[in-house]
């Protein structure tokens, strides 16, 4: 797509705001909307246009990208009877949903958008704030590959890789699987480091050894250091981890698959959220063991 393409970004949280900046810096025209208008000020200062509603933003754009919290927020942004982006989409527009959502909602949304003759791609991302700032996100895409090909230059401005997973819903499922894998790893590390600490083995020393082993992923090398240092500043908040694991459980239930590990780990993050740690980074689950 050409750089005079107008991109509407709906949702300026930790990820959406950083993605919008990347597109502005790449020379694209960017229109932004956020539920609370204060978050639009920084983008406005960078020459983004601010829209009053998702509908207004979508009406002015060639590509509409939503990056919001959950199914409910996505439903509101796209389908609200008065202000929803669905009602502002034009025939040649491409709609992209990049939020981490349940596959069943993604399939439903795709159907609603396709009904009005607009192309749809799901494109959730792997990565958090540092990757979004550096343009190093990884996109998981679902939908028509010919439509994905059209938007690859746009996605490339915010990413280092784009993977086509298959039909709509497949990317959402893959994203939930990735987050579940990460959530399980963090939970068990939190438990084992707490165990070792009570046996007078310093978490820093344990992590130093664990980080030399082939069983430790690059992401867990970082998470382990945060666990050892008890640094819980939010990047992937516990409340969102719990939400994603809940979506994963629902997906498994829909296909009649038993997932006992996922169920237990989801309950651990739910407990952390209930105890007031929901806004902390995923590694803050360790506070349950303090």
């Amino acid at each position: 797509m050409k750089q005079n393409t107008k991109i509407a970004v709906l949702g300026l949280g930790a990820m959406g705001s950083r993605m919008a900046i990347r597109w502005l810096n790449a020379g694209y025209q960017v229109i932004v909307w956020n539920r609370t208008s204060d978050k639009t000020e920084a983008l406005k200062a960078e020459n983004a246009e601010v829209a009053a509603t998702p509908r207004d933003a979508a009406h002015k754009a060639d590509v509409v990208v939503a990056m919001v919290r959950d199914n409910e927020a996505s439903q509101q942004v796209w389908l609200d009877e008065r202000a929803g982006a669905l009602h502002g989409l034009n025939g040649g527009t491409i709609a992209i949903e990049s939020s981490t959502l349940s596959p069943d909602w993604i399939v439903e949304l795709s159907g609603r958008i396709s009904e009005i003759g607009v192309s749809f791609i799901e494109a959730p991302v792997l990565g958090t704030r540092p990757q979004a700032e550096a343009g190093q996100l990884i996109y998981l895409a679902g939908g028509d590959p010919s439509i994905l090909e059209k938007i690859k230059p746009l996605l490339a401005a915010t990413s280092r890789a784009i993977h086509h997973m298959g039909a709509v819903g497949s990317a959402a499922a893959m994203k939930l699987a990735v987050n579940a894998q990460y959530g399980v790893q963090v939970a068990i590390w939190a438990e084992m480091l707490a165990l070792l600490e009570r046996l007078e083995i310093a978490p820093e020393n344990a992590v130093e050894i664990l980080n030399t082993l082939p069983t430790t992923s690059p992401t867990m090398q970082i998470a382990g250091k945060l666990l050892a240092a008890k640094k819980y500043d939010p990047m992937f908040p516990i409340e969102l981890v719990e939400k994603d694991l809940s979506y994963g459980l629902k997906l498994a239930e829909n296909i009649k698959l038993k997932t006992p590990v996922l169920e237990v780990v989801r309950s651990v993050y739910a407990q952390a959220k209930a105890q007031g740690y929901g806004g902390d980074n995923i590694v803050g689950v360790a506070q349950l063991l303090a």
Side-chain angles (χ1 to χ4, degrees):
M1 305 195 83
K2 298 178 180 179
Q3 287 187 319
N4 61 0
T5 297
K6 291 186 178 180
I7 308 170
V9 181
L10 309 179
L12 299 177
M15 301 298 287
S17 59
R18 288 165 171 81
M19 293 163 72
I21 286 287
R22 292 291 306 184
W23 281 316
L24 283 166
N25 290 342
Y28 289 99
Q29 298 179 54
V30 177
I31 306 160
V32 297
W33 171 87
N34 193 67
R35 183 177 57 83
T36 54
S37 60
D38 58 308
K39 290 189 176 181
T40 65
E41 293 303 316
L43 276 299
K44 185 177 181 180
E46 297 291 334
N47 295 319
E49 181 181 347
V50 178
T53 66
R55 180 176 187 163
D56 293 340
H59 184 66
K60 299 175 182 178
D62 303 301
V63 176
V64 181
V65 182
M67 177 59 89
V68 294
R69 181 184 182 86
D70 53 25
N71 284 358
E72 290 72 23
S74 176
Q75 290 161 8
Q76 185 73 15
V77 161
W78 289 106
L79 302 184
D80 182 82
E81 290 185 5
R82 300 178 65 181
L86 179 74
H87 309 298
L89 293 172
N90 302 304
T93 307
I94 298 175
I96 305 172
E97 179 52 91
S98 284
S99 316
T100 302
L101 308 173
S102 66
D104 54 353
W105 163 242
I106 283 289
V107 171
E108 180 182 342
L109 176 61
S110 174
R112 295 288 294 272
I113 290 175
S114 297
E115 281 176 0
I116 61 171
V118 172
S119 298
F120 176 83
I121 290 286
E122 61 162 335
V125 299
L126 302 179
T128 58
R129 301 176 193 200
Q131 291 77 31
E133 286 181 2
Q136 292 293 300
L137 295 169
I138 297 173
Y139 281 97
L140 304 172
D144 186 335
S146 67
I147 301 301
L148 176 61
E149 200 63 33
K150 291 181 181 180
I151 60 172
K152 274 188 175 180
L154 180 153
L155 299 183
T158 57
S159 69
R160 64 181 175 88
I162 303 166
H163 299 288
H164 184 246
M165 301 307 304
V168 169
S170 60
M174 185 67 189
K175 175 66 188 289
L176 295 178
V178 170
N179 285 3
Q181 180 194 45
Y182 184 38
V184 169
Q185 291 180 80
V186 170
I188 191 61
W189 271 50
E191 288 186 5
M192 291 304 99
L193 291 179
L195 180 151
L196 293 172
E197 188 170 21
R198 292 189 186 187
L199 296 173
E200 299 184 356
I201 297 173
E204 295 82 358
N205 294 344
V207 168
E208 184 177 355
I209 294 168
L210 288 165
N211 281 357
T212 68
L213 303 178
T215 51
T216 302
S217 68
T219 299
M220 281 309 301
Q221 290 177 11
I222 297 169
K225 291 179 180 178
L226 294 174
L227 280 164
K230 297 179 171 59
K231 291 185 177 179
Y232 308 136
D233 295 341
M235 285 189 287
F236 184 14
I238 284 170
E239 58 192 2
L240 297 186
V241 179
E242 192 274 333
K243 178 263 294 184
D244 293 349
L245 298 183
S246 295
Y247 286 168
L249 281 172
K250 179 62 176 176
L251 176 60
E253 180 184 324
N254 288 345
I255 61 173
K256 296 179 172 54
L257 176 69
K258 292 183 178 180
T259 52
V261 173
L262 181 59
E263 187 170 345
V264 170
V265 174
R266 201 281 312 173
S267 71
V268 171
Y269 288 100
Q271 183 181 353
K273 178 182 173 182
Q275 292 193 18
Y277 305 129
D280 293 338
N281 193 27
I282 183 172
V283 294
V285 72
Q287 294 169 101
L288 289 177
L289 305 164

